[in-house]
Amino acid sequence: MTNLFPNYARKDFEIVEGVGSYLTDDQDRRYLDFTSGIGVVNLGYGNEAVEDALIRQAKRLMHTPNLYQNQLQETVAHVLGKENYSAYFCNSGAEAIEAAIKLARKTTNRSKIITFVQSFHGRTYGAMSATGQAAVHQGFAPLVPDFVYVDYNDRDGIDQQMDQNTAAVIVEVIQGEGGIILAEKEWLQEIEKRCRETGSLLIIDEIQTGMGRTGSLYAFQQMDIEPDIFTLAKGLGNGFPVGAMLGKQELGKHFGPGSHGTTFGGNKMAMAVAAEVVRQIDQSEFLEDVQKKGTYLLEALKKIDSSKIKEVRGRGLMIGIELQQEFSVEDIIKDLEKAGLLTLKAGQNVLRLLPPLTISMKEIDEGIEKIKKVF
C-alpha cells in the first residue's frame, strides 16, 4: 500500500546513504554509482564544502522572497555568465526551459520554436511541448502550439523550417535522454548562423551537459558557438534543487517586473550551494581531469568484445552504450545492479553512464570490470 501516485517505475530498494562515488541501500547493499542521481551529484556524495555551505546558510536564513536584494544571486549570476549574460534562478530544469521559452517569444514577438526529434527538455507543458518524443506527449494533447520538430544533425530540416516567424531554436549539444546522441559541431554552427540571419534566438539546453559533465563548464564552449540563452539545473546544486536560465544582457529589457517570477527560485540556500559547486567545478585542472577520465572510460568501453554492443559514444563523463536491437537494456541494468553498479537507460536501447566527476581512476576501473563481466 502506498499513498504515492504510481508515475515513477521505482526500484524495490531505497538508497539511504552516500559517500563519494558509492551508495548504500536499505538492505545494506553497496553500489558504485554511475548515475550521479541522473547527472546531478557531479561532486559526489558527502562533499563537505557543499554541505557546509548549505548548513551555514540554513542556520543564518533559509528563505526570503524575490522582493528584496539578494547578493548571493548576484554572485552566482556573475560566475555563471560573467559580463555577457544575465541570470534568472528557479528550482528545476523544466522551469529554466519555461523561462527561456517565455523570454524568446517576448523578445522576438514571434511564436514558432524549433526543437528536435528525440530531444528532452522537461515535463511541464511548455518544456514537454519542446520535447520531441511522442511517448512523452501521449495523453496530454493539446500541447502548447507552434513547436516544430526536425531531425537532429539534419541541416536540410533546419533550412526548411527556419524563417522570419521563428522565435528560437532549442537544442542540446548532446541528447541525453534521447540516447547520448552527439551534435555535429558544423551543424550547431550552421544553426547559429541561420538564427543570426532570421533574427531568431539560439537556446542551448545545458541541463544535463552543463556544470563540467563533458569536460568544459558548458558543452557549447567546445562547439565554438555563442547561445543567446542557455539553461542549467541538475549539477548546479549537487543535489539541492536549483535551476537557471541565462540570457544575453541585452535581452533584459524584455524581462522586466511582472514578466516572470517564482517564490522559491534563487533562495539563499540554493545560491549558497550553487556558489560552492561552481567554485569547485570551474577550475581548469578539474575540467581537464574530467576530460582525461572521460577519454579513459570511453576507450576502455570501446574495447569490450561483446555481441550485445552496437556502439559506444560520448564526451567527458557522459557516455552511452547502444545495444543491438535483440538485447534489452533493462536486463543489463538489472544485472549491473546485482553486480553492484548503478546505471541508467537512455533512448530506446542505450545504457547511459553518468558517474560523478570526482570519481577516481580506481573506481572507474572497478566500474569497467563490472560492465565487462555483465556484457
Side-chain angles (χ1 to χ4, degrees):
M1 175 64 183
T2 176
N3 282 68
L4 301 175
F5 276 110
N7 55 310
Y8 299 111
R10 298 180 189 267
K11 306 287 185 181
D12 61 358
F13 57 89
E14 180 178 355
I15 300 298
V16 296
E17 187 177 8
V19 178
S21 302
Y22 293 90
L23 294 169
T24 304
D25 71 11
D26 56 346
Q27 298 165 56
D28 207 33
R29 293 177 299 200
R30 191 167 181 256
Y31 306 91
L32 178 60
D33 180 32
F34 268 33
T35 77
S36 300
I38 316 183
V40 169
V41 191
N42 285 2
L43 294 175
Y45 300 94
N47 184 291
E48 288 188 10
V50 173
E51 292 178 350
D52 288 347
L54 176 61
I55 292 166
R56 282 196 306 270
Q57 185 58 52
K59 286 182 175 180
R60 185 179 185 190
L61 183 64
M62 290 178 66
H63 171 75
T64 58
N66 287 301
L67 300 173
Y68 313 104
Q69 296 296 319
N70 189 325
Q71 189 54 48
L72 278 170
Q73 286 189 13
E74 293 285 356
T75 297
V76 179
H78 179 72
V79 294
L80 291 176
K82 303 297 189 283
E83 286 75 33
N84 299 323
Y85 293 89
S86 298
Y88 163 80
F89 292 107
C90 49
N91 310 286
S92 67
E95 289 178 64
I97 291 291
E98 294 285 348
I101 291 168
K102 287 183 69 175
L103 178 57
R105 284 183 166 178
K106 196 166 190 293
T107 297
T108 62
N109 199 30
R110 306 172 183 178
S111 62
K112 180 179 177 180
I113 295 178
I114 297 172
T115 69
F116 298 91
V117 176
Q118 284 301 110
S119 62
F120 185 86
H121 301 290
R123 294 184 184 274
T124 52
Y125 255 94
M128 177 179 64
S129 300
T131 294
Q133 298 188 40
V136 175
H137 301 162
Q138 190 172 359
F140 297 108
L143 301 180
V144 177
D146 293 345
F147 282 88
V148 176
Y149 317 108
V150 302
D151 288 336
Y152 199 67
N153 281 324
D154 178 18
R155 183 173 296 189
D156 290 340
I158 287 293
D159 288 341
Q160 291 169 11
Q161 291 294 341
M162 288 288 290
D163 55 33
Q164 301 301 320
N165 296 317
T166 304
V169 177
I170 304 177
V171 61
E172 300 158 276
V173 177
I174 301 175
Q175 289 189 328
E177 301 290 335
I180 313 298
I181 310 298
L182 281 67
E184 297 168 1
K185 185 175 182 177
E186 295 77 11
W187 178 71
L188 288 175
Q189 292 174 341
E190 180 65 20
I191 292 175
E192 181 183 37
K193 178 184 176 184
R194 296 289 288 122
C195 283
R196 303 294 174 252
E197 291 172 350
T198 59
S200 311
L201 300 184
L202 174 60
I203 302 173
I204 302 292
D205 182 339
E206 289 272 3
I207 291 163
Q208 191 166 149
T209 54
M211 303 315 299
R213 175 56 56 184
T214 68
S216 53
L217 187 61
Y218 311 126
F220 71 74
Q221 292 172 321
Q222 301 177 44
M223 299 292 110
D224 295 329
I225 58 174
E226 187 176 283
D228 299 291
I229 300 170
F230 64 98
T231 56
L232 301 170
K234 288 190 180 290
L236 181 57
N238 208 61
F240 198 92
V242 58
M245 182 272 291
L246 288 102
K248 287 188 175 178
Q249 290 201 340
E250 57 264 30
L251 302 182
K253 61 187 177 183
H254 302 287
F255 233 41
S259 57
H260 199 48
T262 168
T263 298
F264 297 111
N267 74 80
K268 288 180 178 289
M269 291 193 297
M271 293 296 95
V273 168
E276 177 58 29
V277 168
V278 180
R279 186 192 70 79
Q280 291 189 41
I281 291 177
D282 194 16
Q283 305 284 341
S284 58
E285 186 176 345
F286 182 94
L287 294 168
E288 287 168 7
D289 192 51
V290 172
Q291 293 177 23
K292 177 183 175 182
K293 289 185 286 195
T295 299
Y296 178 82
L297 177 56
L298 184 65
E299 293 305 314
L301 295 172
K302 286 181 176 180
K303 291 176 183 176
I304 295 175
D305 184 15
S306 172
S307 60
K308 297 178 181 179
I309 296 176
K310 180 179 180 180
E311 184 183 16
V312 180
R313 55 182 179 262
R315 183 176 295 125
L317 287 170
M318 184 174 183
I319 295 175
I321 303 175
E322 184 174 0
L323 275 60
Q324 297 288 356
Q325 191 171 0
E326 62 268 28
F327 298 101
S328 166
V329 70
E330 288 87 355
D331 290 342
I332 293 289
I333 289 172
K334 289 178 182 176
D335 288 342
L336 286 169
E337 281 175 10
K338 293 175 184 176
L341 184 70
L342 297 181
T343 56
L344 298 161
K345 178 185 177 181
Q348 295 301 311
N349 213 25
V350 176
L351 183 71
R352 179 171 34 155
L353 308 177
L354 302 171
L357 307 185
T358 51
I359 192 168
S360 69
M361 296 299 284
K362 183 179 178 181
E363 291 164 345
I364 290 175
D365 284 336
E366 179 186 341
I368 291 167
E369 287 306 309
K370 292 178 186 295
I371 292 169
K372 277 183 181 179
K373 287 180 181 179
V374 166
F375 274 101

